Amino acid sequence: MSLHVEPRLQARALDATLEERLTLRHVLETGAAEAAAQRSFSPEERAHLTRRLAETTGADPSDYRRLDSRLHLAIAEVAGVPTLTGLVADIRMQMNELLDAIPLLEVNIAHSNQQHADLTTAIIDGDAPGARRLMAEHLAGTAALLRGFLA
C-alpha cells in the first residue's frame, strides 16, 4: 500500500470538512495578516516576525513545514489577539495533517518563500489591504495543492 493512500482516503472521508477547514483557515489567516499590518510593532515583535521569516526561508526541506507553521503563527501573534493565535494554531494543526500527505516540491518552496517575504514586508510596512491580499493568494495556492493531490 502506498504511503499516500491512507491520507487520501482520510481526505475523501473529510470531503466537505476539507472545504470547511480551508475556508476557516482563509478567514482566520487573512484576518490575522490584516490585523497585524494595522498595528505598530514593538522592536521585539518586529524581530520575532523577521526571525521566523528567515528561519523559514533558510529551512531544510525536512523541517520546512514546521518552520512554515511557526511563521504563520508569528503573524497571528503580532496581530495582538491571543485568542486568534490559538485559533490559527488549531486550524494549522488540522491542515498540517493533510499537508504532510502531499509532496514538498522545491519549486513550491521557492514560490512560498517569495510569498512569505512579500507578505512580511506588507505587514511591517502597515499595508493592511496588501497583507490580506497576499495572505489570500498564499493560502489559495496551498488549497489548490491540497485539492489536487488529495482528490
Side-chain angles (χ1 to χ4, degrees):
M1 180 191 305
S2 168
L3 292 176
H4 296 289
V5 171
E6 185 177 295
R8 286 183 183 169
L9 292 175
Q10 178 186 11
R12 285 188 193 124
L14 294 172
D15 200 20
T17 310
L18 174 62
E19 292 305 317
E20 182 178 323
R21 288 178 187 192
L22 292 172
T23 299
L24 181 58
R25 182 179 187 211
H26 173 84
V27 169
L28 292 172
E29 292 202 46
T30 58
E34 180 178 40
Q38 292 172 337
R39 291 189 65 235
S40 294
F41 299 127
S42 69
E44 294 81 15
E45 290 171 320
R46 183 182 303 263
H48 175 61
L49 188 58
T50 56
R51 187 171 44 252
R52 293 296 171 251
L53 174 63
E55 289 171 353
T56 304
T57 302
D60 182 80
S62 65
D63 206 23
Y64 187 80
R65 287 210 171 102
R66 181 181 70 82
L67 295 172
D68 177 59
S69 292
R70 289 180 68 182
L71 174 60
H72 282 257
L73 288 175
I75 292 168
E77 289 166 352
V78 300
V81 182
T83 304
L84 176 60
T85 302
L87 293 169
V88 169
D90 287 345
I91 195 63
R92 185 63 195 220
M93 285 190 315
Q94 293 176 40
M95 297 309 299
N96 280 348
E97 292 175 8
L98 297 173
L99 288 167
D100 287 342
I102 66 173
L104 192 57
L105 307 172
E106 290 292 331
V107 67
N108 293 348
I109 290 174
H111 183 66
S112 184
N113 283 340
Q114 184 59 57
Q115 289 180 318
H116 287 150
D118 294 343
L119 173 60
T120 301
T121 298
I123 290 170
I124 290 172
D125 288 350
D127 179 6
R132 177 178 275 282
R133 178 185 50 76
L134 289 164
M135 180 63 87
E137 290 172 5
H138 179 62
L139 298 179
T142 303
L145 286 172
L146 282 169
R147 288 182 188 112
F149 278 105
L150 299 176

